[in-house]
Amino acid sequence: MAEQTAPPVIRDGTPTKPDAAVVRDALGVGVAVGLSGFAFGVTSAGSGLSILQTCVLSLLVFTGASQFALVGALAAGGNPFTAAAGAFFLGTRNAFYGLRLSQLLAVPKAVRPFAAHWVIDETTAVSLAQPTRRAARIGFTVTGLTLYVLWNATTLLGALGAEAIGDTAAWGLDAAGPAVFLALLAPMLKSATERATAGIAVLLGLGLLPVLPAGVPVLAAALAAPLVLWFQGRRMGPAGREKDSR
């Protein structure tokens, strides 16, 4: 009797997805975001970092939002330690992504340290969108590999071409990274709580820019989450139900 093969794990009744379709979607995200590494290279070099420092940031840090936050704070004259702290706390979100992806991907222990380096917004978004573990692994691998290679290659090109381009602010390249990050984040804000948290974070970050040193407003924006949770707790009764406002 022929050995029966266990059916693929399908979440929420979603049908299986062809490998070619997963690769296509992953390549689309990897290429589109990877090319914005050029903007980071230009911005980083324009903020005073050397070509070597710029490339090492992309190779070892490899999380665009944190990288842009760091060089943006340095370009604005912020303290290096404050700038690094802001970038660090912004990057801690990847640790929470890792908690979810570790269960979904279930990669071997020997591979986990390498896979962890690719746990970023884009690989998480592509992986979680897949219906099966196999598709999630393919999406994670293709997105991570494509993005890592392109991001680092275009970072080098951007750093080398920074002098020829001139003022990055005039070209709007300094806004390219944050714009990509917001475009990926916006569709994930589905609940009222998530939208409220994001809105308050924006207000805190922008409102405190004129009064706090560079790099500090992004840290203050993190207060949006506990504020929203505290407000929700005030509205809920002891049993977890919304209090009667009458």
Side-chain angles (χ1 to χ4, degrees), residues 195-206:
R195 290 191 290 269
T197 303
I200 293 174
V202 170
L203 291 176
L204 285 173
L206 295 179

Side-chain angles (χ1 to χ4, degrees), residues 21 25 35 65 67 76 78 105 112 121 144 171 184 222-223 235:
D25 294 343
L35 293 177
Q67 291 179 235
L105 301 177
R112 289 177 188 174
D121 303 296
W171 290 83
L184 289 167
L223 295 174
R235 294 183 58 191

Side-chain angles (χ1 to χ4, degrees), residues 19-120:
D19 292 350
V22 180
V23 172
R24 182 191 63 233
D25 294 343
L27 283 174
V29 173
V31 172
V33 180
L35 293 177
S36 63
F38 182 84
F40 170 73
V42 173
T43 305
S44 179
S47 69
L49 272 67
S50 68
I51 294 177
L52 178 60
Q53 290 171 325
T54 297
C55 291
V56 167
L57 267 177
S58 282
L59 285 168
L60 300 183
V61 179
F62 188 54
T63 172
S66 296
Q67 291 179 235
F68 272 102
L70 175 63
V71 299
L74 293 176
N79 182 285
F81 293 103
T82 304
F88 172 79
F89 282 109
L90 188 58
T92 55
R93 70 191 186 282
N94 295 336
F96 296 98
Y97 295 160
L99 293 175
R100 178 67 183 93
L101 289 181
S102 65
Q103 299 175 348
L104 174 62
L105 301 177
V107 297
K109 291 183 178 180
V111 181
R112 289 177 188 174
F114 304 98
H117 194 49
W118 287 356
V119 176
I120 54 176

Side-chain angles (χ1 to χ4, degrees), residues 181-193:
F181 177 70
L182 290 175
L184 289 167
L185 178 64
M188 302 175 72
L189 303 176
K190 298 178 180 179
S191 69
T193 300

Side-chain angles (χ1 to χ4, degrees), residues 134-221:
R134 172 184 171 82
R137 286 177 170 177
I138 294 173
F140 178 86
T141 303
V142 175
T143 305
L145 179 62
T146 305
L147 186 50
Y148 190 74
V149 171
L150 276 180
W151 180 267
N152 284 282
T154 53
T155 291
L156 175 60
L157 292 176
L160 291 172
E163 293 183 1
I165 290 178
D167 184 14
T168 57
W171 290 83
L173 294 177
D174 53 336
V180 171
F181 177 70
L182 290 175
L184 289 167
L185 178 64
M188 302 175 72
L189 303 176
K190 298 178 180 179
S191 69
T193 300
E194 293 168 346
R195 290 191 290 269
T197 303
I200 293 174
V202 170
L203 291 176
L204 285 173
L206 295 179
L208 295 174
L209 278 177
V211 296
L212 293 179
V216 177
V218 68
L219 297 177

